[in-house]
Amino acid sequence: QVQLVESGGGLVQPGGSLRLSCAGSGFSLDYYAIGWFRQAPGKEREGLACISSSDGSTYYGDSAKGRFTITRDNAKNTVYLEMNSLKPEDTDVYYCGTDTGSHCEGIEYDYWGQGTQVTVSS
């Protein structure tokens, strides 16, 4: 069964940094493309970043380009999202997800975790 567990959220000041973690439970993340997205209740999902399993290619949404970096550590069965230069508008619940495919193109988030709250405020 595909289970994803996000962690690493919290309260950070504007301009600060956070590293989110997405751990796989009961399966190996290294076979799948894994993406990060954020979504507040009642709002549309916004894709942020994705990393493929086939060749490690990375893709970023406009909000993430230049500020966020997605990486994977297959030995730890974890995908990370390093977030820098955070802004108050980055406040949201962040999720990692997958559709159990290996490519990021057209990824559908059929599986995702419980999310982790990120709050950017002074």
Side-chain angles (χ1 to χ4, degrees):
Q1 185 175 359
V2 175
Q3 291 186 330
L4 299 165
V5 180
E6 302 95 338
S7 62
L11 174 64
V12 62
Q13 292 187 342
S17 299
L18 280 176
R19 188 177 76 160
L20 306 183
S21 298
C22 172
S25 176
F27 75 106
S28 294
L29 284 181
D30 51 338
Y31 293 119
Y32 306 134
I34 302 294
W36 284 93
F37 61 93
R38 61 191 182 190
Q39 186 170 21
K43 293 188 177 181
E44 289 189 1
R45 177 180 294 174
E46 180 184 9
L48 297 171
C50 182
I51 186 166
S52 72
S53 63
S54 55
D55 61 2
S57 298
T58 56
Y59 300 85
Y60 295 93
D62 289 341
S63 298
K65 288 178 182 177
R67 299 190 301 133
F68 297 177
T69 302
I70 188 170
T71 58
R72 67 194 308 152
D73 186 336
N74 291 337
K76 294 184 178 180
N77 208 29
T78 301
V79 171
Y80 302 98
L81 185 69
E82 184 77 33
M83 305 189 297
N84 299 312
S85 302
L86 284 164
K87 308 171 185 178
E89 50 264 44
D90 293 317
T91 296
D92 218 324
V93 181
Y94 286 68
Y95 300 86
C96 64
T98 186
D99 60 4
T100 69
S102 61
H103 301 286
C104 288
E105 293 89 342
I107 187 170
E108 299 283 346
Y109 293 114
D110 298 325
Y111 303 93
W112 60 90
Q114 82 290 348
T116 185
Q117 175 71 47
V118 171
T119 302
V120 184
S121 176
S122 56

